[in-house]
Amino acid sequence: MSQNKNYHLGILYLIHLLVNADGVIDENESRALRKVKDYEQIPEATLIEFEKSVLDKNEKHIYQSGIDHLNQCTDDEKLDAFAHLHKMSEADGRVHVKEVRLLLYSIRMAKIEFNDVVARSKSMVYS
């Protein structure tokens, strides 16, 4: 669990895109997002900053903000971030094609191996 603000904001931006990819925010996705916030101990101030910042950004800018924040993180933090995204993509029981594209493209841009992401996501246990 990182206390890196860039890591937290990167996760929040990309999760925002992921849960909105299919146009429906499912209750399971909302619950999974709360679990990620708790697991990573994301400070309330960071959540407020994030929520304000997405109000005036389009999808492309939200994506770029997420990637820019994650690019300032360690490789291990990046791996954790994408593991969270992988778990989130499965939260509603169906994986939308737009979620898959976002996840795979982002992983490739971060130069992380997909198999490493899957393995890390299996080791993350939310309470």
Coordinates of all heavy atoms in Angstrom, one line a residue, residues 13-21 59 63 67 82 85 96-109:
Y13 N -8.1 8.1 -11.6 CA -8.4 8.5 -12.9 C -8.7 7.3 -13.8 O -9.7 7.3 -14.5 CB -7.3 9.3 -13.5 CG -7.2 10.8 -13.1 CD1 -6.1 11.2 -12.4 CD2 -8.2 11.7 -13.4 CE1 -6.0 12.6 -12.0 CE2 -8.1 13.0 -13.0 CZ -7.0 13.4 -12.3 OH -7.0 14.7 -11.9
L14 N -7.9 6.3 -13.7 CA -8.1 5.2 -14.6 C -9.3 4.3 -14.2 O -10.0 3.8 -15.0 CB -6.8 4.3 -14.7 CG -5.6 5.1 -15.4 CD1 -4.4 4.2 -15.5 CD2 -6.0 5.6 -16.8
I15 N -9.5 4.2 -12.9 CA -10.7 3.5 -12.5 C -12.0 4.2 -12.9 O -12.9 3.6 -13.3 CB -10.7 3.2 -10.9 CG1 -9.7 2.1 -10.6 CG2 -12.1 2.9 -10.4 CD1 -9.6 1.9 -9.1
H16 N -11.9 5.5 -12.8 CA -13.1 6.3 -13.3 C -13.4 6.0 -14.7 O -14.6 5.8 -15.1 CB -12.7 7.8 -13.1 CG -13.8 8.7 -13.7 ND1 -14.9 9.1 -12.9 CD2 -13.9 9.4 -14.8 CE1 -15.6 9.9 -13.7 NE2 -15.0 10.1 -14.8
L17 N -12.4 5.9 -15.6 CA -12.6 5.6 -17.0 C -13.1 4.2 -17.1 O -14.0 3.9 -17.9 CB -11.4 5.8 -17.8 CG -10.9 7.2 -18.0 CD1 -9.5 7.2 -18.7 CD2 -11.9 8.0 -18.8
L18 N -12.6 3.3 -16.4 CA -12.9 1.8 -16.4 C -14.4 1.6 -16.1 O -15.1 0.9 -16.8 CB -12.0 1.0 -15.6 CG -12.0 -0.5 -15.8 CD1 -11.3 -0.9 -17.1 CD2 -11.4 -1.2 -14.6
V19 N -14.8 2.2 -14.9 CA -16.2 1.9 -14.5 C -17.2 2.6 -15.4 O -18.4 2.2 -15.4 CB -16.4 2.2 -13.0 CG1 -15.5 1.4 -12.1 CG2 -16.2 3.7 -12.7
N20 N -16.8 3.7 -16.0 CA -17.7 4.4 -16.9 C -17.6 3.9 -18.4 O -18.4 4.4 -19.2 CB -17.4 5.9 -16.9 CG -17.9 6.5 -15.6 OD1 -19.0 6.6 -15.4 ND2 -16.9 6.9 -14.8
A21 N -16.8 2.9 -18.7 CA -16.5 2.4 -20.0 C -17.8 1.9 -20.7 O -18.0 2.1 -21.9 CB -15.4 1.4 -20.1
E59 N -12.8 12.5 -21.6 CA -12.2 11.2 -21.4 C -10.7 11.2 -21.7 O -10.0 10.5 -21.0 CB -13.0 10.2 -22.3 CG -12.9 8.8 -21.9 CD -13.8 7.9 -22.8 OE1 -13.4 7.5 -23.9 OE2 -14.9 7.7 -22.3
Y63 N -7.8 10.2 -19.1 CA -6.8 9.1 -19.3 C -5.4 9.7 -19.2 O -4.5 9.0 -18.5 CB -7.1 8.5 -20.7 CG -6.0 7.5 -21.1 CD1 -6.1 6.2 -20.5 CD2 -5.0 7.8 -21.9 CE1 -5.1 5.3 -20.8 CE2 -4.0 6.9 -22.2 CZ -4.1 5.6 -21.7 OH -3.1 4.7 -22.0
I67 N -2.4 8.5 -16.7 CA -1.1 7.9 -17.1 C 0.1 8.8 -16.7 O 1.1 8.3 -16.2 CB -1.1 7.8 -18.7 CG1 -2.1 6.7 -19.1 CG2 0.3 7.5 -19.2 CD1 -1.8 5.3 -18.6
F82 N -2.4 -1.4 -12.0 CA -3.0 -2.2 -13.1 C -3.7 -3.4 -12.5 O -4.7 -3.9 -13.1 CB -2.1 -2.4 -14.2 CG -1.7 -1.2 -15.0 CD1 -0.5 -0.7 -14.9 CD2 -2.7 -0.5 -15.7 CE1 -0.2 0.5 -15.6 CE2 -2.5 0.7 -16.3 CZ -1.2 1.2 -16.3
L85 N -7.0 -2.3 -11.5 CA -7.8 -2.1 -12.7 C -8.3 -3.4 -13.2 O -9.5 -3.6 -13.6 CB -7.1 -1.3 -13.7 CG -6.8 0.1 -13.5 CD1 -5.8 0.7 -14.5 CD2 -8.1 0.9 -13.5
H96 N -16.5 -5.5 -20.5 CA -16.9 -4.8 -21.7 C -15.7 -4.6 -22.6 O -14.5 -4.4 -22.1 CB -17.5 -3.4 -21.3 CG -18.1 -2.7 -22.4 ND1 -17.4 -1.9 -23.3 CD2 -19.4 -2.6 -22.8 CE1 -18.2 -1.3 -24.1 NE2 -19.4 -1.8 -23.9
V97 N -15.8 -4.6 -23.9 CA -14.7 -4.5 -24.8 C -13.9 -3.2 -24.6 O -12.7 -3.2 -24.7 CB -15.2 -4.6 -26.3 CG1 -16.1 -3.5 -26.7 CG2 -14.0 -4.8 -27.2
K98 N -14.6 -2.1 -24.2 CA -13.9 -0.9 -24.0 C -13.1 -1.0 -22.7 O -12.0 -0.4 -22.7 CB -15.0 0.2 -23.8 CG -14.4 1.6 -24.1 CD -15.6 2.6 -24.2 CE -15.0 4.0 -24.3 NZ -16.1 5.0 -24.3
E99 N -13.5 -1.7 -21.7 CA -12.7 -2.0 -20.5 C -11.4 -2.7 -20.9 O -10.3 -2.4 -20.4 CB -13.5 -2.7 -19.5 CG -14.6 -2.0 -18.9 CD -15.5 -2.8 -18.0 OE1 -15.5 -4.1 -18.1 OE2 -16.1 -2.3 -17.1
V100 N -11.5 -3.7 -21.7 CA -10.4 -4.5 -22.2 C -9.4 -3.7 -22.9 O -8.2 -3.7 -22.6 CB -10.8 -5.7 -23.0 CG1 -9.6 -6.5 -23.6 CG2 -11.7 -6.7 -22.2
R101 N -9.9 -2.9 -23.8 CA -9.0 -2.0 -24.6 C -8.3 -1.0 -23.7 O -7.1 -0.9 -23.8 CB -9.8 -1.2 -25.6 CG -10.2 -1.9 -26.9 CD -10.7 -1.0 -27.9 NE -11.5 -1.7 -28.8 CZ -12.7 -1.4 -29.2 NH1 -13.3 -0.2 -28.8 NH2 -13.4 -2.1 -30.0
L102 N -9.0 -0.4 -22.8 CA -8.4 0.5 -21.8 C -7.3 -0.2 -21.0 O -6.2 0.3 -20.9 CB -9.4 1.1 -20.9 CG -8.9 2.0 -19.8 CD1 -8.2 3.3 -20.3 CD2 -9.9 2.4 -18.8
L103 N -7.6 -1.3 -20.5 CA -6.7 -2.0 -19.6 C -5.4 -2.5 -20.4 O -4.3 -2.2 -20.0 CB -7.4 -3.3 -19.0 CG -6.6 -4.0 -18.0 CD1 -6.2 -3.2 -16.8 CD2 -7.4 -5.2 -17.5
L104 N -5.6 -3.1 -21.6 CA -4.5 -3.6 -22.4 C -3.6 -2.5 -22.9 O -2.4 -2.5 -22.9 CB -5.0 -4.5 -23.5 CG -5.6 -5.8 -23.1 CD1 -6.1 -6.6 -24.3 CD2 -4.6 -6.7 -22.3
Y105 N -4.3 -1.4 -23.4 CA -3.5 -0.3 -23.9 C -2.7 0.4 -22.8 O -1.5 0.7 -23.0 CB -4.5 0.7 -24.6 CG -3.7 1.9 -25.2 CD1 -3.0 1.8 -26.4 CD2 -3.8 3.1 -24.6 CE1 -2.4 2.8 -27.0 CE2 -3.1 4.2 -25.1 CZ -2.4 4.1 -26.3 OH -1.7 5.1 -26.9
S106 N -3.3 0.6 -21.7 CA -2.6 1.3 -20.6 C -1.5 0.4 -20.1 O -0.4 1.0 -19.8 CB -3.6 1.5 -19.4 OG -4.7 2.3 -19.9
I107 N -1.7 -0.9 -20.0 CA -0.6 -1.8 -19.5 C 0.6 -1.7 -20.5 O 1.7 -1.6 -20.1 CB -1.1 -3.2 -19.4 CG1 -2.0 -3.3 -18.1 CG2 0.0 -4.2 -19.2 CD1 -2.8 -4.6 -18.0
R108 N 0.3 -1.7 -21.8 CA 1.3 -1.7 -22.8 C 2.1 -0.3 -22.7 O 3.3 -0.3 -22.8 CB 0.7 -1.9 -24.2 CG 1.8 -1.9 -25.2 CD 1.3 -2.2 -26.6 NE 0.2 -1.3 -26.9 CZ -0.7 -1.6 -27.8 NH1 -0.7 -2.6 -28.5 NH2 -1.7 -0.7 -28.0
M109 N 1.4 0.8 -22.5 CA 2.0 2.1 -22.4 C 2.9 2.2 -21.2 O 3.9 2.9 -21.2 CB 0.9 3.2 -22.4 CG 0.1 3.3 -23.7 SD 1.0 3.4 -25.2 CE 1.9 4.9 -25.1

